[in-house]
Amino acid sequence: MYLLPLLSFVLPLAALGISSVQLPTWTIHERRSALPRGWLHSRKLDSDATIPLRFALRQSNIDDIERYLYDVSHPRSQNYGKHWTAGDVAAKFAPSRDSINAVRSWLLESGIQPESVRMSPSNGWLEVTVGVEAAEALLQTEYHVYGHESGTEMVGCEGYSLPVHITPHVDFVTPTIHFDAQVSKRSDPSPPVGGPRHGMQPKTNGNILLVLDATGLDNCYQQITPVCLQALYGLDYEPVATSQNSYGIVEYTPMAYNPSDLDMFATNFSTGLVGKRPKLVSIDEDILNKQ
């Protein structure tokens, strides 16, 4: 008999509770769960230091990138082979004017001087150099110095936040949680690119097995042939633009380019190419076996 009065008392409270909830004005944008291997926290960043903040703005048309790639790479496309210039790429994926204006306005409202806000040449970044206190206020974080076992130091934080109306316009901010410094140090310097390492010469020992079956699939577990690759990746089409097609054959150190190897391949899979040689592009004293 007391059910209705009780409900009449609870419902207004529930309604009051819902209406009194306010959405947060800031939200965590990125947070680190652990330090990368080899890194340790060193100390709090000095308050008199400056930090070059870079805001990576959200790119436009990024969801269509696969369609754009196929448009210039599929032989049946009307735009086949019409590759984009660097300017075309920058223009197509440039952030929207709304994103640029939103982030810039927020920076100015936060006390950053207009002349301090710079746009990168690609229009993909907004950059500003500020003191530690200003950077920490902008991102609701604390900046520290982290040291690597190699002796390298980097500035960063454990996580940072952005206003909720700014997060849709920003992919990420640096320097923050990303550790991308080059920290490796070699006691034994590597030889020049393309130069053989000590004791490494072209492979001459061992026997190269004969192709078991150039047209079937029964031996794909032992030898990978073009037919195996066609079956594995579902490649089933006839080239329709062969006059525009080209490909490169790369030979990495410590191996060496041996032209006769191409004849061995062509004998099994493309007899019309036996004896033909590609254009050789030699890089940094590479090795050529003239056999």
Side-chain angles (χ1 to χ4, degrees), residues 52-95:
L53 291 179
R54 303 184 74 221
F55 295 83
L57 303 177
R58 191 84 66 183
Q59 293 176 298
S60 303
N61 302 312
I62 200 69
D63 293 335
D64 293 322
I65 189 170
E66 183 176 11
R67 179 169 61 85
Y68 297 145
L69 289 173
Y70 276 115
D71 189 43
V72 298
S73 61
H74 197 289
R76 292 189 177 91
S77 170
Q78 292 182 348
N79 294 317
Y80 177 71
K82 299 178 181 178
H83 300 292
W84 296 8
T85 65
D88 293 333
V89 175
K92 180 61 70 173
F93 298 108

Side-chain angles (χ1 to χ4, degrees), residues 208 251 256-267 277 291:
I208 300 177
E251 193 77 66
Y257 169 46
N258 189 341
S260 63
D261 288 346
L262 298 179
D263 289 337
M264 185 184 302
F265 178 88
T267 299
R277 298 290 179 258
Q291 298 181 7

